[in-house]
Amino acid sequence: MKIATWNVNSVRIREPHVCRWLQRVEPDVLLLQEIKCEEKQFPAPAFKALGYDSVVAGQKSYNGVAILSRIPLDVHHVTLPGLPPEDAQARYLEIAAAGVTIGNLYLPNGNSGGEAGFAYKMAWMDRLADRAQALLDSDTPFVLAGDYNVAPADVDYATGTLPTDDALVRPETRARFRRMLWAGLTDAVRVTTPTGPIYTFWDYQGGAFQRDRGLRIDHALLSPVMADRLISAAPDKNVRAEDQPSDHVPVLVTFED
DNA sequence: ATGCCGGGTCCTACCCGA
């Protein structure tokens, strides 16, 4: 089973990139973040032509997540459980497919909006940890993957790409990420490559990709059963060198059937 | 320490991202 996650930074602009990647890699399930459109604008027919059904939690202009699948699925949640009902940001979508619960998340960046913006990120991470714990308690095999907007350790961002008090690396941010690991989740990319830098994002500015000054902020966290099934997990770096790329690359995780 | 890039939209100057 192949599950991938990709912040595409506008699905309408990146439709050809996504189609090419689906055809080349043939994931069973692809989680998309920052689709930046409502469901009615989502290019579902292009993906359907390649054999993929779409589930969309859209929002005008900002955020937005979607799931493409070539295997049958059930939709379980279109928002992150526990958030206030007035929260209208489209950042979470959860399905079950082939007996695996799959959560697709676009975690708030936390740098805009001052301390209130950062507090929103912290609350969101608390609710995500709650969701992970509930799934652990139910003994459901699961994967929580997406753009976490967290560089978990210093090795996960190139020197000088972020200030030390950036919301992606603040101690409160990292503590909440670590709490999910301590609860029993496995960081698929990091256990596959235990040491050294592995980036999933390179800024558009300053020749960041050419200089390989990136961040590792897109993650797949696995429940214990899924960690036992893990074969490989890695970003597809070559995608960043295509024309008109997203600033993030896909992260592909492969499991034993 | 960022907004030089590249999306978005109130169509075009401004908001947002990491």
Side-chain angles (χ1 to χ4, degrees), chain A residues 212-223:
Chain A
D212 198 25
R213 294 168 68 86
L215 315 174
R216 189 174 78 94
I217 53 175
D218 301 274
H219 309 295
L221 298 192
L222 314 181
S223 71

Side-chain angles (χ1 to χ4, degrees), chain A residues 110-133:
Chain A
N111 279 306
S112 61
E115 278 308 302
F118 186 69
Y120 178 68
K121 178 175 191 167
M122 295 301 97
W124 213 97
M125 293 190 81
D126 288 340
R127 297 295 79 74
L128 183 63
D130 291 346
R131 185 66 193 141
Q133 190 60 56

Side-chain angles (χ1 to χ4, degrees), chain A residues 3-6 21 30 189 200 218-220 233-236 249-253:
Chain A
I3 301 175
T5 176
W6 192 1
W21 200 77
L30 174 58
V189 170
T200 66
D218 301 274
H219 309 295
D236 190 347
V249 295
V251 175
L252 177 65
V253 188

